[in-house]
Amino acid sequence: MTPPASGKPRIAVHKFSSCDGCQLAFLDLGEDLVRLSQMVDIVHFAEAGPVDPEAAVDIAFVEGSIATPDEEARIQRVRANAGTLVTIGACATSGGIQALRNLHDGTQWLADVYPSPAYVESLATSTGIAEHVKVDLELWGCPVNGRQVLAAVRALLWGVPPLPQRDKVCMDCKRDGHVCVLVSQGQPCLGPVTVTGCGALCPAFGRDCYGCYGPAENAHPDALGRRLEGLGLLREDVARRFRFIHSNRGAVGEAGQRWSDEGGEP
Ligand code: SF4
Ligand code: SF4
C-alpha cells in the first residue's frame, strides 16, 4: 500500500449497477464509520458526501455489476487508480439478480419492458467485476454486512490477508442453536449450499435461507435439490431457487441450469 501524503491510506467507494444496499452497509457502521474515517481518507463515496471518482486510492470498494457500456469503460479506470480492489455484494461478485437477464435474450427484455428501447444504453448481460478486471478480494452477500466490510478494511490496513469464509450457513445455525427450519418446518432452506458471513440471519428469524451469500465450497446442490423435491417443490421451483441471486457464478447457479434444462423454464 503506497503511503499517502496525509499519512493515511486513501479509500474510495464506487457504485455500478446496483441498489445501493451494500453502500448502506458502510453507512450502517455508525460510530465505527467515524472511527474508520479517522484512520483513512475517504476521498470518493458519493452516497456519504465526498466525490472524486478519478482519484488514485489505496483501496477501492466496488458495488454493482457491469451492465452498461459506460460501466465497462469506467471499471478499467477504477482498477488503474486502485492499489487494492475489493468487490462488495452479490452484484459486484456475480452479476446479481439483474444477471437473470443473461439467461434469456437481453435485447428482447428491453423491447418487452420499454416502449423505446433504442434510448436505453444497456449491455445484453450483467456480469461481476472479476469478469472485467483483476479483483483482489471479494465480499459476498446481498447486501454485505458492516462487520464483514470493517474486518476487511482492518485486515487490509494492517497488511494482514483477510480471512476467507469457508463454512456453510448450517454451521452458524448449529453454533448459535437455531432450530433447523428445513428439518423442523420443511422450509426449502439453501443453508446447506450457501457460504456463511451473515451469521445465519434468516434461520435465526425462523425463515429459510435463499442463498444471498453465494455458493459454499464443496456444496452438493443436486443432493439438496432432491431433498427440496421431497418437500414438494417442482423441478422448475428448485431451478428458480438455485438461480435467484447468484445465477451467473458458482456451483449452485450451474445446478440451477441443470435443473432448469431437465425441468422446463426457470
Ligand atoms: S435452518 Fe437452514 S441453514 Fe440452518 S441448519 Fe437448517 S438447513 Fe442449515
Ligand atoms: S441466511 Fe441466507 S439469505 Fe439470509 S442473509 Fe444469510 S445467506 Fe442471505
Side-chain angles (χ1 to χ4, degrees):
M1 203 176 286
T2 320
S6 68
K8 292 183 189 173
R10 289 156 61 88
I11 283 186
V13 182
H14 293 274
K15 173 184 163 60
F16 286 74
S17 287
S18 58
C19 75
D20 287 29
C22 290
Q23 293 181 76
L24 287 175
F26 256 103
L27 296 175
D28 279 350
L29 287 172
E31 287 181 14
D32 282 335
L33 184 61
V34 176
R35 275 193 283 275
L36 180 65
S37 66
Q38 291 164 350
M39 297 162 59
V40 299
D41 277 338
I42 302 177
V43 297
H44 174 71
F45 188 178
E47 192 151 321
V51 177
D52 188 358
E54 303 296 335
V57 294
D58 298 288
I59 309 173
F61 289 92
V62 177
E63 173 200 83
S65 69
I66 303 301
T68 68
D70 164 73
E71 289 174 339
E72 267 186 319
R74 188 156 57 90
I75 192 61
Q76 300 297 333
R77 300 201 298 278
V78 169
R79 176 67 270 187
N81 286 334
T84 299
L85 192 153
V86 182
T87 52
I88 51 172
C91 302
T93 48
S94 75
I97 289 179
Q98 59 271 31
L100 286 170
R101 74 192 198 206
N102 304 1
L103 304 171
H104 293 273
D105 179 353
T107 51
Q108 185 57 47
W109 279 116
L110 283 178
D112 289 344
V113 173
Y114 296 99
S116 304
Y119 293 109
V120 180
E121 288 194 3
S122 182
L123 298 172
T125 57
S126 167
T127 43
I129 302 300
E131 294 193 38
H132 299 264
V133 295
K134 177 175 172 283
V135 171
D136 300 299
L137 175 66
E138 293 181 325
L139 298 179
W140 293 64
C142 186
V144 290
N145 66 54
R147 290 190 317 276
Q148 267 179 299
V149 176
L150 201 59
V153 173
R154 285 194 177 124
L156 291 170
L157 290 183
W158 305 127
V160 179
L163 273 181
Q165 281 286 358
R166 300 208 190 282
D167 283 347
K168 299 179 173 79
V169 175
C170 294
M171 290 299 290
D172 271 340
C173 275
K174 302 298 174 282
R175 278 191 283 257
D176 295 343
H178 304 314
V179 174
C180 177
V181 299
L182 191 151
V183 172
S184 70
Q185 299 171 30
Q187 293 191 42
C189 188
L190 293 194
V193 296
T194 301
V195 72
T196 192
C198 64
L201 183 63
C202 297
F205 286 92
R207 61 156 291 174
D208 47 316
C209 167
Y210 53 90
C212 83
Y213 268 66
E217 285 182 359
N218 303 317
H220 298 285
D222 291 320
L224 179 62
R226 288 191 292 277
R227 180 76 177 86
L228 300 187
E229 271 194 309
L231 295 175
L233 269 69
L234 301 175
R235 292 188 70 85
E236 53 263 43
D237 294 331
V238 174
R240 276 201 196 95
R241 262 193 103 62
F242 285 162
R243 286 173 143 185
F244 179 34
I245 306 260
H246 294 288
S247 60
N248 196 42
R249 198 171 147 192
V252 180
E254 288 163 15
Q257 181 66 46
R258 283 196 299 281
W259 283 70
S260 169
D261 289 345
E262 293 164 23
E265 281 292 293

